[in-house]
Amino acid sequence: MKTIIAACSQNLSGNRASVQTALRTLLAVPWPSQRDLRSWLQLLSVLQWVLSFLLLGIVSLLLLIYLVFTSFWPISALYLAWIIFDWDTPEKGGRRLPCLRRWPVWKHFRDYFPVKLVKTHDLSPSHNYIIGSHPHGILCVGAFCNFITGSTGFSEMFPGIRPFLTTLAGNFRLPVFREYLMSGGLCPVTRRAISYLLSQNGTGNAVAIVIGGAAESLSCRPGVTTLILKNRKGFVRMALQHGAYLVPSFSFGENDLFRQVVFEEGSWMRSIQQRFQKMMGFAPCVFYGRGLTSVQSRGFLPYARPITTVVGEPVMVPKIENPSREMVDMYHEMYIRSLLKLFNENKTKYGLSESDELHIL
């Protein structure tokens, strides 16, 4: 018995020593600094944004299809009924939620790059505006952060102006994802949706359109500033029909967030990309960024590169219900001149050299 007691006592003593050693080791590990915590929060905020845009719609659709074959099928049925009832809402200004625009996570998202908004001229709340957003880049980070979140101070810089950002209409057919998009102030890039905002939503509306679209994303790469704009004139015609002023904006650094495999014009891969883009509305880009664990690893997260979005001087546009082709061409040329002026006056301030030029195709 004495032997058993002695053995148990020795074992307990050893366990206490092991626990004490483990605690000393744990306490010796340095706690993460505030800087480390901020970096992790910034990384997680960008991760949730990327996953939301790449997976939220598809995963939600697959989940609802799966529920149809389970005892939870009423959930799918009810949501389908809701979408049918709510079908036209994206075309009528959406369903903006101010609380989501003020979500604290967007400040961490902004600081990851960081993203900055620069105002050069006032925008009067007594007018409506079409803001041309350039360049497209891969995921339009600058346009999203400045026009959808309140993190860069758009509402403070332009009091009385309600910003909207347009995106592919097909995104609003995906369950759950459509609610996410509308809550931030996104609307379909369709004539009906834009016309509603410019004619039936009062004044003080600023509809941002990424004019180059999917075709421009195929040419996105660091050190190259090429815009698809020369034959994109529909936004000018709409501005004339509604008397909306045209405002150029340029996001310096947008093309530096990812690395893309750019296929030359005429190659079979480029041909596949262009055909896919015409059929589906978006281009299948072959790109990569940094990984989740380190900057050196490859993944789908954007690199932390500064983005500065400069909003330029409005081009005053008269209201003409049926503008002629010559009138559209004239204001299109005025818009391009205003955009070139904006680019040339700011390029050396935000990372480009004096010799860098803006190529418009």
Side-chain angles (χ1 to χ4, degrees):
M1 178 62 73
K2 290 182 179 180
T3 304
I4 294 173
I5 293 173
C8 289
S9 176
Q10 193 174 33
N11 188 42
L12 289 172
S13 177
N15 287 338
R16 283 196 295 270
S18 299
V19 171
Q20 291 173 353
T21 302
L23 287 173
R24 282 196 296 270
T25 303
L26 181 62
L27 293 173
V29 175
W31 288 89
S33 64
Q34 288 188 348
R35 182 177 179 180
D36 292 332
L37 289 173
R38 283 196 301 268
S39 296
W40 292 346
L41 287 172
Q42 291 167 11
L43 191 63
L44 289 174
S45 68
V46 174
L47 176 64
Q48 67 81 26
W49 178 78
V50 172
L51 291 179
S52 295
F53 269 81
L54 295 181
L55 298 177
L56 180 58
I58 298 298
V59 171
S60 299
L61 178 61
L62 294 175
L63 178 60
L64 287 173
I65 292 174
Y66 168 75
L67 292 179
V68 169
F69 302 99
T70 70
S71 58
F72 296 100
W73 64 266
I75 295 177
S76 299
L78 288 172
Y79 190 80
L80 177 60
W82 164 251
I83 287 184
I84 294 172
F85 173 78
D86 197 52
W87 189 260
D88 288 334
T89 299
E91 304 277 355
K92 296 180 178 180
R95 193 166 34 249
R96 181 193 298 257
L97 295 178
C99 60
L100 188 137
R101 293 173 60 85
R102 295 193 299 266
W103 200 17
V105 74
W106 299 130
K107 293 183 179 180
H108 299 298
F109 179 87
R110 172 201 64 194
D111 294 339
Y112 171 84
F113 298 96
V115 182
K116 180 182 178 183
L117 180 65
V118 176
K119 168 186 173 180
T120 61
H121 292 79
D122 290 328
L123 299 181
S124 171
S126 61
H127 297 288
N128 284 325
Y129 303 89
I130 290 181
I131 300 178
S133 180
H134 310 275
H136 183 285
I138 297 294
L139 293 178
C140 302
V141 172
F144 178 88
C145 191
N146 288 298
F147 302 129
I148 294 303
T149 79
S151 62
T152 57
F154 183 96
S155 298
E156 290 74 25
M157 290 186 191
F158 302 101
I161 303 297
R162 295 181 298 273
F164 296 85
L165 179 63
T166 58
T167 185
L168 292 174
N171 289 329
F172 295 90
R173 305 297 178 248
L174 293 172
V176 181
F177 189 46
R178 69 190 295 274
E179 323 299 338
Y180 178 78
L181 295 177
M182 285 192 291
S183 64
L186 282 102
C187 62
V189 61
T190 61
R191 184 176 299 275
R192 182 185 175 194
I194 297 171
S195 294
Y196 180 91
L197 292 172
L198 297 178
S199 63
Q200 300 184 47
N201 201 43
T203 60
N205 301 291
V207 183
I209 303 175
V210 186
I211 297 168
E216 192 172 279
S217 66
L218 294 177
S219 301
C220 166
R221 53 183 167 177
V224 178
T225 312
T226 301
L227 303 183
I228 306 296
L229 179 59
K230 188 175 292 184
N231 296 317
R232 301 288 175 98
K233 301 179 182 180
F235 73 102
V236 178
R237 181 174 295 278
M238 292 201 69
L240 285 164
Q241 289 173 339
H242 299 284
Y245 289 7
L246 290 168
V247 183
S249 73
F250 196 93
S251 293
F252 294 91
E254 183 73 46
N255 285 349
D256 298 330
L257 304 182
F258 294 95
R259 301 291 182 267
Q260 181 180 187
V261 179
V262 178
F263 301 100
E264 297 298 326
E265 289 289 344
S267 65
W268 65 274
M269 278 299 297
R270 185 68 166 214
S271 177
I272 290 175
Q273 286 179 314
Q274 291 171 342
R275 289 179 183 178
F276 191 93
Q277 179 239 319
K278 288 179 180 179
M279 290 188 297
M280 304 299 295
F282 64 93
C285 301
V286 182
F287 67 92
Y288 65 90
R290 59 157 292 180
L292 184 61
T293 55
S294 71
V295 179
Q296 287 72 31
S297 61
R298 290 188 179 184
F300 54 86
L301 294 178
Y303 292 107
R305 302 286 187 270
I307 304 172
T308 304
T309 301
V310 184
V311 179
E313 181 179 5
V315 176
M316 292 185 290
V317 176
K319 185 175 181 179
I320 305 173
E321 188 173 345
N322 294 303
S324 64
R325 179 179 297 180
E326 292 74 19
M327 186 68 69
V328 171
D329 289 343
M330 182 180 74
Y331 279 95
H332 185 262
E333 184 60 34
M334 290 172 62
Y335 176 83
I336 290 179
R337 286 200 301 268
S338 182
L339 176 63
L340 288 171
K341 178 184 177 184
L342 171 71
F343 178 81
N344 290 324
E345 288 180 350
N346 291 278
K347 60 183 180 182
T348 56
K349 299 177 186 178
Y350 305 116
L352 300 180
S353 66
E354 188 65 41
S355 60
D356 285 322
E357 297 181 353
L358 188 61
H359 303 284
I360 297 178
L361 302 179

